[in-house]
Amino acid sequence: MDAYCPPDTPLDILHQDHELLVVNKPSGLLSVPGRGEHLADCLISRIQAVFPEALLVHRLDRDTSGVMVFAMTPHAQRHLGLQFEKRQVKKVYIARVYGEVEGGEGTVDLPLIVDWPNRPRQHVDHENGKPAVTDWKVAKRGDNETRMRLFPQTGRSHQLRVHMLELGHPILGDPFYATGPALDAPRLMLHAESLRLRHPDGGRGMTFKAKCPF
């Protein structure tokens, strides 16, 4: 992996109330600190510098951008955590993948497990892997790439990245799974476009969106 040079961008707050903080995470910034002082700069530490009470609920990969929700109270953290655990949170991602995908939509249902000698890479393992399911739809094709919307039903590490690779169409700019010309992109072309959840105070359904930067 290349050296860690997180973007020096101000917090992009999409929504804030007494229970929730929703932000648009930039690509290239860790969600939580990595091991070692050089990996200390991350989204949660930047947020806690402004909102000391903010608590982690879920995470996005370093190179993925988009909607991320934080809890502002322990109650909200438990409430949201259960929604993620029970797969009640609806997530939509945009990806640009290498090559032209056949068909208009489909589902990848392949169990994943960490590839220990090569961690944090993940790989498909039908015996020991945890269930991982991704629905996909083609948005547009052209110039040896396809723009897709991805709807993960589970939240495994690197799920969308491995599932697209297994389709034969790695996500453009993916430092772990793309090779050759598929690597020729300024960043990982994966963005968490929207997140739908129930508000911890009253249970009202809310959808948060972050415009795709690519």
Side-chain angles (χ1 to χ4, degrees):
M1 288 293 291
D2 46 351
Y4 181 46
C5 301
D8 183 16
T9 50
L11 284 180
D12 183 1
I13 295 170
L14 303 171
H15 174 88
Q16 180 198 349
D17 64 39
H18 62 296
E19 296 275 29
L20 296 180
L21 179 68
V22 186
V23 300
N24 181 14
K25 182 182 105 52
S27 175
L29 180 65
L30 290 164
S31 295
V32 297
R35 287 188 182 171
E37 198 54 41
H38 64 298
L39 299 175
D41 186 12
C42 61
L43 186 57
I44 184 114
S45 65
R46 291 184 183 189
I47 283 172
Q48 286 173 341
V50 185
F51 305 97
E53 69 276 31
L55 298 163
L56 189 74
V57 175
H58 67 125
R59 56 188 73 185
L60 291 175
D61 291 346
R62 181 188 89 172
D63 297 321
T64 305
S65 55
V67 181
M68 223 176 132
V69 62
F70 293 83
M72 297 297 269
T73 65
H75 160 75
Q77 187 184 37
R78 284 191 301 274
H79 195 284
L80 294 166
L82 276 172
Q83 290 184 58
F84 275 91
E85 205 178 297
K86 294 176 175 173
R87 302 179 189 171
Q88 294 165 340
V89 176
K90 297 287 174 246
K91 295 174 270 190
V92 182
Y93 288 77
I94 291 179
R96 283 170 54 193
V97 304
Y98 183 70
E100 299 202 9
V101 176
E102 282 182 31
E105 57 187 80
T107 299
V108 181
D109 184 352
L110 291 169
L112 300 176
I113 197 167
V114 67
D115 181 2
W116 273 106
N118 300 303
R119 63 186 186 276
R121 281 176 62 103
Q122 311 285 315
H123 64 150
V124 174
D125 184 330
H126 290 282
E127 285 177 19
N128 307 305
K130 293 182 172 172
V133 180
T134 306
D135 296 326
W136 57 267
K137 272 188 180 149
V138 167
K140 83 176 194 208
R141 296 182 182 82
D143 209 14
N144 202 28
E145 67 168 71
T146 306
R147 189 180 188 86
M148 302 172 80
R149 276 205 164 75
L150 307 178
F151 310 90
Q153 304 305 318
T154 49
R156 305 289 170 218
S157 183
H158 289 193
Q159 173 176 321
L160 301 177
R161 299 162 74 162
V162 179
H163 277 176
M164 292 304 100
L165 179 71
E166 292 293 326
L167 266 187
H169 300 279
I171 297 174
L172 292 172
D174 190 330
F176 286 122
Y177 305 101
T179 51
L183 260 177
D184 293 344
R187 55 161 286 188
L188 173 72
M189 294 294 175
L190 182 63
H191 175 75
E193 181 187 36
S194 74
L195 195 63
R196 181 165 180 78
L197 48 78
R198 285 180 296 110
H199 195 283
D201 183 2
R204 181 165 64 96
M206 299 180 80
T207 301
F208 303 103
K209 292 190 171 181
K211 191 172 185 300
C212 185
F214 53 79

